[in-house]
Amino acid sequence: MTEQELRQLIGAVKTGRASRRGFVRTLVGLGLTAPFANLLLAHAGVAAETSTFDYKPMKAGGGGPLKLLYWQAPTLLNPHFAVGTKDQEGSRIFYEPLAGWDADGNLVPILAADAPDSENGGISADGKTVTWKLKQGVKWHDGKPFTADDVVFNWEYARDPATAATTIGSYQDIKAEKVDDYTVKVEFEKPTPFWADAFVGVQGMIIPKHLFEAYKGGKSRDAPANLKPVGTGPYRFVDFNPGDIVRGERNPDYHLPNRPYFDTVEMKGGGDAVSAARAVIQTGEYDYAWNLQVEDEILTRLEKGDDAKGRVVITPSGSLEHIQLNTTDPWTEVDGEFSSVKSKHPILGDPIVRQALALLVDRNAVQKYIYGRTGVATGNFVNAPARFVSKDTHWEFNVAKANELLDKAGWPRGSDGIRAKDGKKLKFVFQTSINAPRQKNQEIVKQACQKAGIDMELKSVVSSVYFSSDVANLDTYSHFHCDLQMYTTTMNEPDPERFMRQFLSSEIAQKANKWQGRNIVRWHNDEYDADFKAADNELDPVKRAALYIKMNNLVVGDNAVIPDVYRPRVAGVSRQLRVHLTGWDNDMWDLRNWYRETT
């Protein structure tokens, strides 16, 4: 389909000559995705469809306990400080954004009265203003009213560099203004195509002004509510043991009728993904298990058990298991900081070494022998929606080619078989979280590296430590105190804007921002920064997609990271539990509508 044909089809939907559903079906048939099709219509000012969910309970409560099992346990419950998905998930039990994303990429109002569009006056014609109408009658868990003051405060809180919020990228370049008690206007400096970033989804959870205002800026980490949340969500806080368990109880004043269904909720952390899968699918001890990064062979066997009490739910997403190459020196301290942005990695600064490492990752073996249907081999960083996926890249597993490259680049083997140059050996520390698939993945990489004269020391860190938000914890992935590391980076919107912030120079994680920046590899590229800025203000969806494809190619082409497998969301769900999952928000996004079938 040409650009002109696409515009004509969008115009037909806007004028009512074609249906929205037909438009989505047409684009899906061309290899695109429903979320992307819906975003194209949103950019063109076509009102979104209202998402409806099947919800059978006729009253709130009475559902007993809901037991959730997370093999990575939350360590704090302030969404603005969540460096890992587990902290975002724990926070979402209590806090809510103005809107979330459903599985089709539609905006679903939560604290907003409706989703802004051009028809209801929410989106200005010049693409520089979005107006949110807030839902009235919503109360914080302590009984205080939720108003526009809370929304504007979250903008002020997150955009302040002294707060060191992980969400700063979503708020620093906008202005939020209170129009009245239940209306907020968001202004952008330039036309902004992906306006549904601030106050939406994972980075949009709203914290109460009256409890956090005294802890803005440099005092942000001292707020008692960082560990004792007071939100607007379906469940109120009961207690929290960081790294272990979160408990909540039904909010009797919740702003939706007949919700929530469950009387209590418990999010238990720790253990491992295999045990979590068994606890839901095999024994039925828990109702829900998050992020089942488990060999597909094991999942299939559990599901086929004669007395299986749960099922595996696989949801498409853009999440990626990848290997990061440190651009900085993790072994030399500069101004009291290792992996300082002021330093350069003594070996990985050589592009030939990075290229050789990329050739030594056997993605096909990782997919075939570990992930199966739950992980697809890829050479791209952006893997969804399809419109943003580059066709210019390719990957290969080639030990002979890696050896040839290193030979020509002057990295000869020593008597011990390890290559060296200028007194520096090709010896690396490669870390990840303790998890069977990841550790098997490490072994596959190590074996290939040995054949190329590269020594790889494998390090595994307990998940609750590796993904901790503790700024004093030197073993977190955001500190990156090693040469290479591996984990899954999660794409939480049906648009790559926030996902690709991970390579912006302004997002480099460092001591100055308490390692809360999203650019963990500390990669810097002026061309990338310029392209990101251009895409951020490009209203033409075709040109914008081309810019993100170019950014993907820059990152992958420089081997700043090595994509491994892109992963759909995989969860274990009780046979009776009814959930609404999406690949574009976190798993707790629609907890208010969860219930259990009793017959």
Side-chain angles (χ1 to χ4, degrees):
M1 179 180 289
T2 66
E3 179 178 345
Q4 182 179 0
E5 290 171 333
L6 178 60
R7 297 191 192 286
Q8 289 175 344
L9 186 54
I10 292 174
V13 177
K14 290 184 71 173
T15 59
R17 291 180 288 114
S19 71
R20 183 188 190 97
R21 182 166 296 180
F23 175 84
V24 173
R25 275 202 303 263
T26 298
L27 266 65
V28 169
L30 293 173
L32 305 181
T33 64
F36 180 73
N38 282 311
L39 275 178
L40 284 178
L41 294 177
H43 293 331
V46 180
E49 290 183 337
T50 301
S51 299
T52 57
F53 302 119
D54 180 31
Y55 184 78
K56 294 182 179 179
M58 302 301 293
K59 68 180 183 67
L66 173 65
K67 300 182 68 176
L68 314 171
L69 192 53
Y70 277 59
W71 55 277
Q72 294 174 14
T75 53
L76 56 74
L77 297 174
N78 182 332
H80 289 292
F81 298 151
V83 298
T85 305
K86 61 191 176 42
D87 297 319
Q88 296 165 350
E89 297 278 355
S91 298
R92 197 65 168 268
I93 294 175
F94 310 106
Y95 292 117
E96 298 176 305
L98 298 188
W101 296 103
D102 72 7
D104 290 327
N106 293 310
L107 270 183
V108 179
I110 298 176
L111 290 176
D114 51 33
D117 58 49
S118 59
E119 292 185 5
N120 63 23
I123 303 176
S124 64
D126 62 4
K128 296 174 67 174
T129 302
V130 173
T131 301
W132 289 93
K133 292 289 187 180
L134 307 184
K135 191 172 184 179
Q136 299 188 31
V138 178
K139 296 180 181 179
W140 294 102
H141 293 156
D142 60 5
K144 302 286 186 181
F146 162 74
T147 70
D149 290 324
D150 295 300
V151 178
V152 173
F153 167 75
N154 275 256
W155 163 67
E156 296 171 341
Y157 180 89
R159 71 190 294 265
D160 184 349
T163 301
T166 58
T167 53
I168 187 173
S170 297
Y171 297 92
Q172 62 186 352
D173 296 325
I174 68 171
K175 178 182 179 182
E177 178 184 346
K178 175 183 175 181
V179 177
D180 58 43
D181 282 348
Y182 297 101
T183 308
V184 175
K185 182 170 68 174
V186 179
E187 297 178 353
F188 305 94
E189 293 182 1
K190 296 179 180 180
T192 301
F194 189 59
W195 52 265
D197 180 31
F199 309 117
V200 173
V202 169
Q203 66 276 8
M205 286 177 264
I206 310 294
I207 61 175
K209 176 181 178 179
H210 64 279
L211 292 181
F212 284 91
E213 187 172 28
Y215 298 95
K216 291 192 299 185
K219 297 185 291 183
S220 62
R221 292 308 192 280
D222 300 329
N226 287 340
L227 299 176
K228 296 180 178 180
V230 176
T232 59
Y235 296 95
R236 300 186 304 193
F237 176 78
V238 173
D239 62 52
F240 174 41
N241 184 6
D244 181 21
I245 198 166
V246 181
R247 291 188 180 93
E249 62 183 5
R250 182 175 68 86
N251 175 9
D253 293 322
Y254 191 58
H255 53 87
L256 276 183
N258 303 325
R259 293 167 177 82
Y261 167 78
F262 294 99
D263 299 308
T264 62
V265 59
E266 172 188 296
M267 178 182 282
K268 174 64 176 175
D272 57 72
V274 174
S275 298
R278 287 180 175 141
V280 172
I281 301 170
Q282 186 176 62
T283 69
E285 182 183 357
Y286 283 82
D287 299 297
Y288 186 84
W290 163 85
N291 187 20
L292 294 185
Q293 191 171 8
V294 177
E295 293 95 322
D296 194 28
E297 178 186 358
I298 295 175
L299 292 177
T300 301
R301 188 165 64 246
L302 290 173
E303 281 188 293
K304 291 183 178 179
D306 293 337
D307 197 27
K309 294 178 174 59
R311 65 197 191 278
V312 172
V313 176
I314 298 177
T315 307
S317 79
S319 299
L320 175 74
E321 184 81 1
H322 70 303
I323 298 170
Q324 297 182 335
L325 280 61
N326 203 337
T327 65
T328 58
D329 188 348
W331 313 114
T332 301
E333 186 175 355
V334 179
D335 296 334
E337 180 178 1
F338 290 92
S339 291
S340 167
V341 71
K342 298 177 183 178
S343 68
K344 299 296 181 184
H345 197 285
I347 300 175
L348 293 176
D350 185 337
I352 297 299
V353 174
R354 299 197 304 272
Q355 185 179 354
L357 287 168
L359 289 166
L360 296 169
V361 178
D362 190 351
R363 298 162 174 87
N364 276 334
V366 173
Q367 177 181 339
K368 182 177 180 180
Y369 297 110
I370 300 176
Y371 287 98
R373 59 189 164 145
T374 69
V376 181
T378 182
N380 281 317
F381 194 79
V382 177
N383 292 278
R387 187 70 174 182
F388 297 102
V389 179
S390 175
K391 294 181 173 62
D392 305 322
T393 60
H394 74 281
W395 62 269
E396 62 177 318
F397 173 63
N398 195 324
V399 175
K401 188 174 179 179
N403 273 304
E404 182 182 354
L405 284 172
L406 293 171
D407 285 337
K408 290 182 178 179
W411 288 93
R413 293 177 186 263
S415 57
D416 57 359
I418 306 302
R419 294 180 181 272
K421 181 180 181 180
D422 299 330
K424 300 170 184 174
K425 287 193 173 187
L426 291 187
K427 299 182 70 172
F428 302 113
V429 175
F430 178 20
Q431 77 174 8
T432 191
S433 64
I434 293 178
N435 167 267
R438 286 197 172 125
Q439 289 167 277
K440 289 182 179 179
N441 199 338
Q442 278 184 313
E443 288 290 348
I444 289 174
V445 174
K446 179 176 181 175
Q447 290 174 15
C449 285
Q450 287 175 334
K451 296 176 183 178
I454 299 173
D455 183 42
M456 198 71 73
E457 177 186 338
L458 304 184
K459 177 182 177 182
S460 297
V461 183
V462 176
S463 296
S464 59
V465 173
Y466 189 54
F467 296 108
S468 171
S469 301
D470 182 1
V471 297
N473 183 346
L474 301 183
D475 274 331
T476 68
Y477 75 106
S478 60
H479 281 78
F480 203 174
H481 285 183
C482 62
D483 304 296
L484 298 90
Q485 66 179 4
M486 178 171 56
Y487 62 92
T488 291
T489 181
T490 305
M491 187 172 177
N492 283 314
E493 306 88 8
D495 184 280
E497 189 270 342
R498 188 170 187 272
F499 191 66
M500 294 300 276
R501 283 185 177 275
Q502 295 179 72
F503 301 104
L504 278 179
S505 300
S506 60
E507 287 274 357
I508 289 176
Q510 53 190 304
K511 184 178 181 180
N513 59 23
K514 298 182 173 67
W515 294 277
Q516 302 291 288
R518 303 194 69 232
N519 186 346
I520 307 297
V521 294
R522 284 86 163 166
W523 186 70
H524 174 93
N525 184 289
D526 290 334
E527 185 178 1
Y528 184 97
D529 290 346
D531 288 339
F532 186 94
K533 185 177 181 180
D536 206 25
N537 303 121
E538 179 56 69
L539 292 179
D540 186 311
V542 177
K543 293 178 180 178
R544 187 165 177 270
L547 284 166
Y548 278 112
I549 288 172
K550 183 184 175 185
M551 283 184 267
N552 174 88
N553 295 348
L554 285 171
V555 172
V556 173
D558 197 38
N559 295 302
V561 296
I562 304 172
D564 195 0
V565 292
Y566 75 85
R567 297 178 54 212
R569 303 277 182 89
V570 183
V573 184
S574 161
R575 291 197 181 280
Q576 289 74 41
L577 186 63
R578 298 295 173 259
V579 299
H580 307 110
L581 302 178
T582 174
W584 309 114
D585 209 321
N586 66 15
D587 286 13
M588 297 292 102
W589 85 282
D590 194 48
L591 183 62
R592 60 188 185 168
N593 283 316
W594 287 22
Y595 69 96
R596 183 182 290 118
E597 290 276 13
T598 56
T599 57

